[in-house]
mmCIF file of all heavy atoms in Angstrom:
data_model
loop_
_atom_site.group_PDB
_atom_site.id
_atom_site.type_symbol
_atom_site.label_atom_id
_atom_site.label_comp_id
_atom_site.label_asym_id
_atom_site.label_seq_id
_atom_site.Cartn_x
_atom_site.Cartn_y
_atom_site.Cartn_z
ATOM 1 N N PRO A 1 0.810 -1.208 0.021
ATOM 2 C CA PRO A 1 0.004 -0.017 0.014
ATOM 3 C C PRO A 1 0.865 1.234 0.031
ATOM 4 O O PRO A 1 1.877 1.419 0.665
ATOM 5 C CB PRO A 1 -0.857 -0.130 1.307
ATOM 6 C CG PRO A 1 -0.816 -1.585 1.615
ATOM 7 C CD PRO A 1 0.526 -2.113 1.163
ATOM 8 N N ILE A 2 0.406 2.265 -0.760
ATOM 9 C CA ILE A 2 1.180 3.478 -0.887
ATOM 10 C C ILE A 2 1.268 4.206 0.406
ATOM 11 O O ILE A 2 2.392 4.799 0.744
ATOM 12 C CB ILE A 2 0.583 4.391 -1.925
ATOM 13 C CG1 ILE A 2 1.465 5.627 -2.205
ATOM 14 C CG2 ILE A 2 -0.781 4.824 -1.539
ATOM 15 C CD1 ILE A 2 2.823 5.244 -2.806
ATOM 16 N N ASP A 3 0.315 4.168 1.299
ATOM 17 C CA ASP A 3 0.415 4.800 2.593
ATOM 18 C C ASP A 3 1.422 4.230 3.465
ATOM 19 O O ASP A 3 2.141 4.823 4.278
ATOM 20 C CB ASP A 3 -0.934 4.903 3.256
ATOM 21 C CG ASP A 3 -1.581 3.495 3.562
ATOM 22 O OD1 ASP A 3 -1.159 2.598 2.862
ATOM 23 O OD2 ASP A 3 -2.446 3.411 4.502
ATOM 24 N N PHE A 4 1.583 2.901 3.364
ATOM 25 C CA PHE A 4 2.671 2.172 4.130
ATOM 26 C C PHE A 4 4.021 2.610 3.593
ATOM 27 O O PHE A 4 4.906 2.883 4.384
ATOM 28 C CB PHE A 4 2.402 0.705 3.939
ATOM 29 C CG PHE A 4 3.593 -0.216 4.417
ATOM 30 C CD1 PHE A 4 3.866 -0.356 5.812
ATOM 31 C CD2 PHE A 4 4.513 -0.720 3.571
ATOM 32 C CE1 PHE A 4 4.950 -1.137 6.233
ATOM 33 C CE2 PHE A 4 5.623 -1.472 4.005
ATOM 34 C CZ PHE A 4 5.831 -1.644 5.309
ATOM 35 N N LEU A 5 4.210 2.602 2.313
ATOM 36 C CA LEU A 5 5.495 3.019 1.708
ATOM 37 C C LEU A 5 5.826 4.438 2.092
ATOM 38 O O LEU A 5 7.009 4.743 2.419
ATOM 39 C CB LEU A 5 5.441 2.813 0.212
ATOM 40 C CG LEU A 5 5.383 1.360 -0.324
ATOM 41 C CD1 LEU A 5 5.157 1.358 -1.790
ATOM 42 C CD2 LEU A 5 6.666 0.614 0.051
ATOM 43 N N VAL A 6 4.907 5.331 2.048
ATOM 44 C CA VAL A 6 5.129 6.674 2.438
ATOM 45 C C VAL A 6 5.587 6.745 3.935
ATOM 46 O O VAL A 6 6.532 7.522 4.242
ATOM 47 C CB VAL A 6 3.896 7.545 2.232
ATOM 48 C CG1 VAL A 6 4.080 8.904 2.846
ATOM 49 C CG2 VAL A 6 3.606 7.729 0.789
ATOM 50 N N ARG A 7 4.967 5.982 4.785
ATOM 51 C CA ARG A 7 5.290 6.020 6.156
ATOM 52 C C ARG A 7 6.751 5.481 6.418
ATOM 53 O O ARG A 7 7.551 6.047 7.136
ATOM 54 C CB ARG A 7 4.306 5.230 6.953
ATOM 55 C CG ARG A 7 4.486 5.277 8.479
ATOM 56 C CD ARG A 7 3.375 4.661 9.273
ATOM 57 N NE ARG A 7 3.274 3.242 9.103
ATOM 58 C CZ ARG A 7 2.343 2.613 8.356
ATOM 59 N NH1 ARG A 7 1.379 3.375 7.690
ATOM 60 N NH2 ARG A 7 2.277 1.333 8.247
ATOM 61 N N VAL A 8 7.082 4.328 5.762
ATOM 62 C CA VAL A 8 8.382 3.801 5.890
ATOM 63 C C VAL A 8 9.445 4.720 5.330
ATOM 64 O O VAL A 8 10.528 4.888 5.933
ATOM 65 C CB VAL A 8 8.467 2.417 5.168
ATOM 66 C CG1 VAL A 8 9.853 1.862 5.199
ATOM 67 C CG2 VAL A 8 7.501 1.399 5.835
ATOM 68 N N ALA A 9 9.179 5.293 4.165
ATOM 69 C CA ALA A 9 10.124 6.227 3.532
ATOM 70 C C ALA A 9 10.362 7.406 4.490
ATOM 71 O O ALA A 9 11.605 7.737 4.611
ATOM 72 C CB ALA A 9 9.587 6.706 2.249
ATOM 73 N N GLY A 10 9.394 7.905 5.142
ATOM 74 C CA GLY A 10 9.595 9.035 6.051
ATOM 75 C C GLY A 10 10.413 8.601 7.231
ATOM 76 O O GLY A 10 11.282 9.364 7.689
ATOM 77 N N GLU A 11 10.155 7.425 7.697
ATOM 78 C CA GLU A 11 10.929 6.977 8.905
ATOM 79 C C GLU A 11 12.351 6.757 8.557
ATOM 80 O O GLU A 11 13.268 7.140 9.358
ATOM 81 C CB GLU A 11 10.313 5.594 9.392
ATOM 82 C CG GLU A 11 10.907 5.095 10.680
ATOM 83 C CD GLU A 11 10.208 3.896 11.230
ATOM 84 O OE1 GLU A 11 9.148 3.578 10.649
ATOM 85 O OE2 GLU A 11 10.682 3.267 12.187
ATOM 86 N N ILE A 12 12.732 6.172 7.418
ATOM 87 C CA ILE A 12 14.055 5.961 7.028
ATOM 88 C C ILE A 12 14.802 7.267 6.758
ATOM 89 O O ILE A 12 15.873 7.491 7.241
ATOM 90 C CB ILE A 12 14.125 5.005 5.765
ATOM 91 C CG1 ILE A 12 13.688 3.593 6.176
ATOM 92 C CG2 ILE A 12 15.588 5.015 5.201
ATOM 93 C CD1 ILE A 12 13.641 2.663 4.995
ATOM 94 N N ALA A 13 14.119 8.177 6.067
ATOM 95 C CA ALA A 13 14.707 9.438 5.609
ATOM 96 C C ALA A 13 14.952 10.339 6.763
ATOM 97 O O ALA A 13 15.834 11.240 6.758
ATOM 98 C CB ALA A 13 13.837 10.157 4.552
ATOM 99 N N THR A 14 14.218 10.195 7.866
ATOM 100 C CA THR A 14 14.369 11.129 8.974
ATOM 101 C C THR A 14 15.210 10.538 10.156
ATOM 102 O O THR A 14 15.794 11.264 10.889
ATOM 103 C CB THR A 14 13.030 11.577 9.582
ATOM 104 O OG1 THR A 14 12.288 10.397 9.934
ATOM 105 C CG2 THR A 14 12.254 12.318 8.508
ATOM 106 N N ARG A 15 15.214 9.145 10.209
ATOM 107 C CA ARG A 15 15.844 8.553 11.383
ATOM 108 C C ARG A 15 17.210 7.891 11.035
ATOM 109 O O ARG A 15 17.958 7.685 11.987
ATOM 110 C CB ARG A 15 14.968 7.435 11.962
ATOM 111 C CG ARG A 15 13.630 7.962 12.551
ATOM 112 C CD ARG A 15 12.858 6.859 13.211
ATOM 113 N NE ARG A 15 11.605 7.388 13.731
ATOM 114 C CZ ARG A 15 10.711 6.609 14.373
ATOM 115 N NH1 ARG A 15 10.948 5.359 14.595
ATOM 116 N NH2 ARG A 15 9.580 7.199 14.856
ATOM 117 N N VAL A 16 17.474 7.594 9.765
ATOM 118 C CA VAL A 16 18.679 6.995 9.416
ATOM 119 C C VAL A 16 19.626 8.066 8.960
ATOM 120 O O VAL A 16 19.463 8.629 7.901
ATOM 121 C CB VAL A 16 18.495 5.902 8.258
ATOM 122 C CG1 VAL A 16 19.882 5.292 7.896
ATOM 123 C CG2 VAL A 16 17.605 4.802 8.756
ATOM 124 N N LYS A 17 20.618 8.315 9.724
ATOM 125 C CA LYS A 17 21.654 9.387 9.393
ATOM 126 C C LYS A 17 22.280 9.202 8.105
ATOM 127 O O LYS A 17 22.843 8.060 7.812
ATOM 128 C CB LYS A 17 22.625 9.480 10.517
ATOM 129 C CG LYS A 17 23.564 10.756 10.304
ATOM 130 C CD LYS A 17 24.608 10.859 11.574
ATOM 131 C CE LYS A 17 25.440 12.003 11.367
ATOM 132 N NZ LYS A 17 26.405 12.142 12.525
ATOM 133 N N GLY A 18 22.288 10.194 7.165
ATOM 134 C CA GLY A 18 22.970 9.999 5.896
ATOM 135 C C GLY A 18 22.001 9.740 4.745
ATOM 136 O O GLY A 18 22.394 9.712 3.624
ATOM 137 N N VAL A 19 20.725 9.578 5.084
ATOM 138 C CA VAL A 19 19.706 9.295 4.000
ATOM 139 C C VAL A 19 18.635 10.428 4.042
ATOM 140 O O VAL A 19 18.207 10.783 5.089
ATOM 141 C CB VAL A 19 18.987 7.969 4.279
ATOM 142 C CG1 VAL A 19 17.865 7.679 3.234
ATOM 143 C CG2 VAL A 19 19.977 6.849 4.291
ATOM 144 N N ASN A 20 18.291 10.936 2.874
ATOM 145 C CA ASN A 20 17.196 11.930 2.816
ATOM 146 C C ASN A 20 16.156 11.645 1.691
ATOM 147 O O ASN A 20 15.350 12.529 1.465
ATOM 148 C CB ASN A 20 17.796 13.324 2.671
ATOM 149 C CG ASN A 20 18.505 13.580 1.335
ATOM 150 O OD1 ASN A 20 18.525 12.684 0.431
ATOM 151 N ND2 ASN A 20 19.153 14.649 1.159
ATOM 152 N N ARG A 21 16.312 10.490 1.054
ATOM 153 C CA ARG A 21 15.280 10.188 0.013
ATOM 154 C C ARG A 21 15.160 8.667 -0.102
ATOM 155 O O ARG A 21 16.185 7.944 -0.034
ATOM 156 C CB ARG A 21 15.685 10.796 -1.301
ATOM 157 C CG ARG A 21 14.637 10.780 -2.408
ATOM 158 C CD ARG A 21 15.122 11.451 -3.676
ATOM 159 N NE ARG A 21 15.502 12.862 -3.454
ATOM 160 C CZ ARG A 21 14.646 13.881 -3.631
ATOM 161 N NH1 ARG A 21 13.445 13.663 -3.984
ATOM 162 N NH2 ARG A 21 15.112 15.116 -3.375
ATOM 163 N N VAL A 22 13.887 8.260 -0.321
ATOM 164 C CA VAL A 22 13.621 6.796 -0.468
ATOM 165 C C VAL A 22 12.732 6.549 -1.696
ATOM 166 O O VAL A 22 11.784 7.322 -1.861
ATOM 167 C CB VAL A 22 12.926 6.210 0.788
ATOM 168 C CG1 VAL A 22 12.620 4.743 0.612
ATOM 169 C CG2 VAL A 22 13.802 6.460 2.042
ATOM 170 N N VAL A 23 13.100 5.556 -2.495
ATOM 171 C CA VAL A 23 12.273 5.175 -3.658
ATOM 172 C C VAL A 23 11.943 3.712 -3.552
ATOM 173 O O VAL A 23 12.548 2.977 -2.812
ATOM 174 C CB VAL A 23 13.061 5.459 -4.936
ATOM 175 C CG1 VAL A 23 13.367 6.887 -5.107
ATOM 176 C CG2 VAL A 23 14.298 4.606 -5.054
ATOM 177 N N TYR A 24 10.910 3.288 -4.360
ATOM 178 C CA TYR A 24 10.431 1.911 -4.312
ATOM 179 C C TYR A 24 10.618 1.322 -5.710
ATOM 180 O O TYR A 24 10.083 1.871 -6.702
ATOM 181 C CB TYR A 24 8.978 1.838 -3.876
ATOM 182 C CG TYR A 24 8.414 0.411 -3.726
ATOM 183 C CD1 TYR A 24 9.127 -0.486 -2.902
ATOM 184 C CD2 TYR A 24 7.229 0.007 -4.386
ATOM 185 C CE1 TYR A 24 8.662 -1.794 -2.669
ATOM 186 C CE2 TYR A 24 6.809 -1.318 -4.224
ATOM 187 C CZ TYR A 24 7.494 -2.192 -3.300
ATOM 188 O OH TYR A 24 7.059 -3.456 -3.157
#
């Protein structure tokens, strides 16, 4: 689901230091 992917992308991009963008 797109809402799940959006949530995961936000979590990775904000919590994993050195990452600011996520694609599927």
Side-chain angles (χ1 to χ4, degrees):
I2 188 63
D3 59 338
F4 168 76
L5 291 172
V6 170
R7 185 170 69 252
V8 174
E11 186 173 351
I12 293 174
T14 57
R15 296 186 182 180
V16 179
K17 186 178 180 180
V19 177
N20 66 5
R21 193 178 299 268
V22 179
V23 298
Y24 187 54

